[in-house]
Amino acid sequence: MKILMSAVCALSLAAAVCGCAGNEENFVIQKGITDERVELKGNSDFGMRNLEVLSKTDDNGLLTVDVTIEISRTSFWYWIFNGDPLLTLAYRFDWIDEQGRAACLPWQFSSALPGNIFRFHGIAPAEKYTSFKLFVQFYKKGEKLPVPDVKAYEVPTVKKETPAKVNEMEQKLVPAEKAAPAENAKADVKAPVKKAEPEKAAVKADAGKVAAEVKDEVKKAEADVRKDVKAVEKKVKADVRKDVKAVEKKVKADAAKADADAGKVKKELKADAKKAEKELKKEEGKLTESFY
């Protein structure tokens, strides 16, 4: 009976402590950082915190990124009813060049346990990509993930201002003596206009040539991006398989340890029960003797 009451008291104390704990206590590391390049999206049960963002250019001239996050621990009441779940993380890298053109990679998935510290490693598909955006969120089977927005990083173009119009009232106030030579000025203006027509045609031809060259460059860049994206997808899939295997191995080890601990506890409880039963019989014997 004493053992049972002790267990009840311990459970009540744990419930009281966990009930008073806030969201901050769900994290092993208390301090996080804020970085606009990393967007983390939690859910009603678990959260994520950004711990570190490292970026550098490797020997091949490619931007490499390492982002470390921490997943919140399981709350007491969630653990009582659901245990420690294996969580699925959906993540995606967007690689951005100086003009705001982006190569948005597809969503990838990885598994983790509550309280784990997880690192995301990314390599830009080409040298021209000098910035990035990382999206991470919890994922449940069948859930729809946001579609990448390629135009989200476009640099806004500055519109040229149109020349100010001449005030009509100022034209009306021109003295008659000065306005008279205007008829001769019209004749002088007509000659340069005729001369400018061939130049206009040449400019138009040059513009068409430049447009064709730009179109070819765009096609070439698109082909390079598709090639680079395929290579990155292949590498990311290999990394994901490697991470999943490591997590599965750790989960199996933790499960085996939990089973061993459960067996040990069960054995101890059985021994305590026998001891309590023996003491109870002893007390009953004393009560019987005192009765007679």
Side-chain angles (χ1 to χ4, degrees):
M1 292 297 289
K2 292 181 180 179
I3 295 172
L4 182 59
M5 291 299 294
S6 299
V8 172
C9 292
L11 185 60
S12 301
L13 180 60
V17 171
C18 293
C20 296
N23 292 332
E24 292 296 327
E25 282 69 25
N26 286 335
F27 291 92
V28 178
I29 297 175
Q30 296 298 320
K31 292 184 179 180
I33 64 172
T34 301
D35 195 311
E36 294 180 354
R37 299 171 297 177
V38 179
E39 184 174 316
L40 306 177
K41 184 178 179 183
N43 57 25
S44 58
D45 298 314
F46 296 93
M48 289 180 283
R49 177 173 293 175
N50 188 2
L51 300 181
E52 186 181 46
V53 179
L54 300 176
S55 61
K56 67 175 183 178
T57 303
D58 63 13
D59 296 336
N60 298 320
L62 301 176
L63 176 65
T64 60
V65 177
D66 288 289
V67 179
T68 304
I69 70 164
E70 178 193 3
I71 302 172
S72 64
R73 293 176 292 179
T74 309
S75 63
F76 175 76
W77 292 113
Y78 188 98
W79 180 81
I80 287 293
F81 293 104
N82 302 284
D84 252 347
L86 183 62
L87 304 171
T88 301
L89 298 177
Y91 64 94
R92 190 187 84 233
F93 276 99
D94 288 355
W95 301 100
I96 312 160
D97 64 12
E98 294 180 352
Q99 284 72 39
R101 292 188 293 265
C104 301
L105 300 186
W107 287 96
Q108 303 293 330
F109 303 93
S110 187
S111 300
L113 292 171
N116 278 7
I117 294 176
F118 206 87
R119 172 167 287 188
F120 298 95
H121 179 71
I123 303 175
E127 294 183 21
K128 65 180 181 179
Y129 298 109
T130 56
S131 185
F132 74 96
K133 180 82 173 183
L134 173 63
F135 300 89
V136 187
Q137 68 177 74
F138 293 108
Y139 174 78
K140 292 182 180 179
K141 189 175 181 181
E143 182 181 1
K144 289 185 178 181
L145 293 169
V147 178
D149 185 6
V150 180
K151 296 183 179 180
Y153 313 101
E154 288 184 353
V155 179
T157 56
V158 180
K159 294 183 179 180
K160 295 183 179 179
E161 296 182 357
T162 56
K165 294 183 178 180
V166 179
N167 195 328
E168 294 180 358
M169 292 300 296
E170 291 181 356
Q171 291 181 346
K172 292 180 181 179
L173 295 175
V174 175
E177 294 180 356
K178 293 184 179 180
E183 295 180 358
N184 295 331
K186 290 180 181 179
D188 296 337
V189 171
K190 289 180 181 178
V193 170
K194 292 181 180 180
K195 186 177 180 181
E197 288 180 357
E199 294 180 359
K200 186 177 180 181
V203 170
K204 189 175 181 180
D206 292 339
K209 184 178 179 181
V210 171
E213 292 177 354
V214 170
K215 191 175 181 180
D216 292 339
E217 289 293 332
V218 170
K219 288 183 179 180
K220 185 178 178 182
E222 289 177 350
D224 291 340
V225 168
R226 284 194 293 269
K227 183 179 178 181
D228 295 334
V229 167
K230 287 182 179 179
V232 171
E233 286 179 352
K234 185 177 179 181
K235 187 177 186 304
V236 168
K237 287 180 181 178
D239 292 340
V240 169
R241 285 195 294 269
K242 184 178 178 182
D243 294 337
V244 169
K245 288 182 179 178
V247 171
E248 288 178 349
K249 185 177 180 181
K250 187 176 184 303
V251 169
K252 288 180 180 178
D254 292 341
K257 185 179 177 182
D259 290 340
D261 292 341
K264 185 178 178 181
V265 171
K266 187 176 180 181
K267 187 176 180 181
E268 291 175 354
L269 290 174
K270 191 174 180 181
D272 292 337
K274 287 183 177 180
K275 184 177 179 181
E277 186 179 357
K278 187 176 180 180
E279 290 178 355
L280 183 59
K281 288 181 178 180
K282 188 177 180 180
E283 291 293 332
E284 288 178 353
K286 289 181 179 180
L287 289 172
T288 304
E289 290 176 2
S290 63
F291 178 75
Y292 288 107

